[in-house]
Amino acid sequence: MGRCDVNETVQAGGQAALDGLLNKVAAADWPDPVPLPEGLPPVPPMTLDMLPESLRPWIGDAAERMQCPLEYVGVGAVVALSSIVGRRCAIRPKRLDDWTAIPNLWGAVVGPASALKSPALREALAPLERLDARAYAKYEDESRDYRRSEVAAAAKRKALTAQIEKAANDDAAADVSKLQSQLAELEPRMPTARRYIVRDSTVEQLALLLQQNPYGLLLARDELTAWLYSLDREGHRQDRSFYLETWNGDGKFTVDRIGRGHVRLDSMCMSILGGIQPGPLSRYMKAALQPGADSDGLIQRFQLLVYPDILPEWRNIDRPPDEAARTRAHEIFRRLADLDVAAIGAIGNTEGAPPFLHYAEPAQKVADDYREHIEQRVRRPSDHPAVVSHLGKYRSLVPSLALLFHLADCVDGGEKGPVSHRAVLLAQRWTDYLLKHAYRVYGLGREGESSPARLLAERIRSRQLPDRFGAREAYGHGWTGLADKSDVEKAIVVLIEHDWLRADRQQTGGRPRIVYHVNPKVYR
């Protein structure tokens, strides 16, 4: 709009008209506000005694130094643990039945952009990064040996080829056959790098990596929302099917691509881990819960899906990392990567399935009773079908977690043999805990109780607060549900994440003041 247009507007309608016009211009700079989730149910915090005893010092130290929820490091570490074990060792949850659960887990941590999700997940994945570096160094050594052997093999192949031609000319069929066998044995095997973690890759490349790493692999994404939405795009249905097949740990898939040939996978096993912000996840969950939406159970496969509360109080923790705890944790991952399944009492399988453990006798009854509990919950008609589907995935979650916890302590000098009673009880605690977080996450896409964010939004829309305000102006009124400073601050964070507000730091001569600007579009 030009200067003349503005002057004409002032002359025609006065300052009020100009203000309205400028508001329209300002509104064009804002995205549409995201509908707010209804009030979310409370969730319990993770506690140190929920973690395997051998990993507690490392996870607890990292979370405390970062002042982030324990879940961010704990969930990341357990998913990383599952990717290391993968198909190396499975569990058969029943005494006689051959149902086998491969402990391959998908996980995600939900929190705002400033909640330190990424640093926490980096710490949780550090053992895998170290193993990756170790494997790549070994690969480089083997590649040098391969290149040297290839030079010698090329000379021998040339000599043998000449001998084969001479024997063929002499009609010495026996000599030709013998020489051809020697020639075939001269082909040195090209080395491949053992991979533990991949951060971004096409499905075609992942297929090759999974073929080369049949025990398992972890796909780590700093922000999972973009990945989730990419699977809904036109032309990516095959990609979605590919990822779904990796979850069980024994999925089969065939990839045919021009220029890449034919890749057949008979035992796909891939863990997935990443972070998600509440706003984008809210939009995704709302679409996923609509009637007619994809019901293939993609989001339900994220069994370790947590949405913890941010720590209400921050402390400045400035101390060196607990290197002894970190070294111990990294050593546990290394031992699991080189796991001798016979040494821990796993039962081998001659049919190509992974070796497995059963429950110890005291643990079997507890596990059976809890399975019955899950089956009864699955049959409850009061829950949303998506929640029921999510709970149904817990059939394999309990044995998978129990096996992982058992193995983590086992390679650290703990009890070997069948999965212990203590590991089963710990897995059940996790399942009860995760279900509460699942209700909160699914609540992002469903209606529920009112929340501070919605209460503050209503005050804004009814213009009981100006379009620029400070936190004190909100809680200073003593409004119901907004009288507490912490509630208002949490509400402001949610409104910023959902594009209702923007924050601006203003210098006033003393301490800077944070002013929140209201998106003009919320008044429509």
Side-chain angles (χ1 to χ4, degrees):
M1 174 172 290
R3 185 182 299 273
C4 294
D5 294 329
V6 173
N7 290 336
E8 291 173 3
T9 300
V10 173
Q11 294 172 3
Q15 187 63 42
L18 178 60
D19 288 344
L21 183 62
L22 293 178
N23 281 337
K24 290 182 180 179
V25 174
D29 295 331
W30 286 78
D32 289 334
V34 179
L36 296 176
E38 297 290 342
L40 302 178
V43 292
M46 180 178 285
T47 55
L48 277 174
D49 62 347
M50 292 175 62
L51 298 166
E53 189 173 334
S54 54
L55 299 178
R56 287 175 195 170
W58 165 55
I59 296 173
D61 172 68
E64 185 177 30
R65 284 186 292 105
M66 281 187 261
Q67 287 291 280
C68 69
L70 187 63
E71 286 87 343
Y72 289 176
V73 188
V75 165
V78 172
V79 174
L81 202 65
S82 81
S83 73
I84 283 290
V85 175
R87 293 181 56 82
R88 283 179 175 80
C89 187
I91 180 171
R92 291 197 172 177
K94 295 184 177 182
R95 294 179 181 88
L96 304 175
D97 196 282
D98 63 355
W99 169 43
T100 304
I102 296 171
N104 182 55
L105 300 176
W106 292 9
V109 295
V110 184
S114 58
L116 299 174
K117 300 186 301 297
S118 295
L121 292 179
R122 277 198 299 272
E123 178 67 26
L125 297 179
L128 298 189
E129 298 285 7
R130 177 173 291 189
L131 288 170
D132 233 27
R134 182 189 74 162
Y136 189 74
K138 180 182 178 183
Y139 166 72
E140 287 189 312
D141 291 339
E142 291 174 345
S143 295
R144 282 190 292 269
D145 293 340
Y146 169 77
R147 287 191 292 270
R148 284 193 293 265
S149 63
E150 176 62 17
V151 172
K156 291 180 180 180
R157 280 198 299 269
K158 184 176 180 181
L160 280 171
T161 301
Q163 295 178 44
I164 291 172
E165 290 176 355
K166 184 178 182 305
N169 291 332
D170 295 342
D171 291 329
D175 290 342
V176 170
S177 178
K178 180 180 178 181
L179 290 169
Q180 286 177 335
S181 298
Q182 294 177 20
L183 183 62
E185 293 173 358
L186 279 176
E187 294 296 333
R189 187 174 182 181
M190 184 178 294
T192 58
R194 169 75 175 98
R195 296 292 299 274
Y196 293 90
I197 184 170
V198 60
R199 296 194 177 276
D200 192 15
S201 181
T202 63
V203 164
E204 293 82 2
Q205 184 61 29
L206 275 176
L208 290 173
L209 290 173
L210 288 171
Q211 189 181 56
Q212 296 166 2
N213 299 273
Y215 287 125
L217 191 66
L218 185 138
L219 174 65
R221 300 296 295 257
D222 194 50
E223 176 55 58
L224 277 171
T225 310
W227 176 79
L228 288 169
Y229 276 113
S230 73
L231 301 182
D232 291 333
R233 295 204 307 263
E234 190 69 29
H236 287 259
R237 307 302 299 178
Q238 186 77 351
D239 293 1
R240 188 181 183 99
S241 299
F242 174 88
Y243 287 111
L244 289 170
E245 287 293 333
T246 68
W247 180 75
N248 270 330
D250 59 359
K252 300 182 186 301
F253 209 80
T254 301
V255 179
D256 293 298
R257 291 290 188 272
I258 297 175
R260 291 185 178 268
H262 177 87
V263 179
R264 178 180 173 84
L265 299 167
D266 292 322
S267 55
M268 301 168 66
C269 182
M270 187 170 71
S271 303
I272 299 177
L273 175 67
I276 307 181
Q277 295 184 39
L281 181 59
S282 174
R283 289 190 287 267
Y284 183 85
M285 293 301 298
K286 186 172 183 179
L289 296 181
Q290 292 298 315
D294 286 318
S295 56
D296 53 18
L298 177 68
I299 197 68
Q300 286 83 0
R301 282 167 167 76
F302 284 89
Q303 295 167 311
L304 271 63
L305 180 59
V306 294
Y307 185 179
D309 295 320
I310 304 303
L311 300 180
E313 300 293 337
W314 178 84
R315 293 187 297 139
N316 183 27
I317 307 295
D318 187 5
R319 65 166 186 257
D322 187 338
E323 288 299 340
R326 179 182 282 175
T327 300
R328 180 186 180 190
H330 284 216
E331 179 63 14
I332 288 170
F333 276 81
R334 186 198 66 78
R335 291 175 183 172
L336 288 172
D338 302 328
L339 185 64
D340 182 353
V341 291
I344 63 168
I347 302 170
N349 194 307
T350 59
E351 300 175 357
F356 61 90
L357 292 173
H358 281 296
Y359 288 123
E361 191 58 36
Q364 185 71 60
K365 177 66 166 59
V366 177
D368 288 344
D369 289 345
Y370 198 80
R371 170 68 187 276
E372 182 179 355
H373 167 69
I374 290 176
E375 295 296 344
Q376 294 299 328
R377 292 289 300 272
V378 167
R379 288 157 175 77
R380 286 175 55 187
S382 58
D383 284 327
H384 189 281
V387 177
V388 175
S389 175
H390 190 98
L391 183 58
K393 297 292 188 292
Y394 285 9
R395 294 181 178 104
S396 64
L397 177 62
V398 175
S400 294
L401 286 173
L403 176 64
L404 293 174
F405 298 155
H406 175 73
L407 291 178
D409 289 339
C410 176
V411 298
D412 192 50
E415 179 183 357
K416 295 179 173 58
V419 176
S420 68
H421 178 254
R422 180 175 62 179
V424 173
L425 292 177
L426 191 58
Q428 291 176 4
R429 284 188 62 190
W430 268 73
T431 307
D432 291 338
Y433 158 86
L434 288 169
L435 182 57
K436 292 182 174 63
H437 280 261
Y439 276 115
R440 169 174 279 198
V441 170
Y442 283 96
L444 287 169
R446 302 174 61 193
E447 293 187 354
E449 296 179 317
S450 185
S451 67
R454 296 190 69 82
L455 293 173
L456 183 58
E458 289 304 314
R459 299 288 179 177
I460 291 171
R461 294 181 97 168
S462 62
R463 299 187 182 274
Q464 296 179 57
L465 284 169
D467 57 4
R468 294 174 178 81
F469 66 92
R472 184 185 294 273
E473 293 176 66
Y475 64 76
H477 289 281
W479 290 322
T480 300
L482 296 171
D484 187 85
K485 178 182 177 182
S486 65
D487 286 338
V488 170
E489 290 174 343
K490 290 178 183 177
I492 287 173
V493 168
V494 173
L495 293 181
I496 290 175
E497 292 170 358
H498 289 72
D499 295 325
W500 284 59
L501 300 176
R502 287 177 182 168
D504 182 33
R505 189 183 299 271
Q506 297 183 348
Q507 297 294 335
T508 59
R511 294 179 60 184
R513 178 173 182 262
I514 297 179
V515 175
Y516 301 99
H517 298 251
V518 178
N519 183 345
K521 294 181 179 180
V522 307
Y523 297 116
R524 295 178 181 174

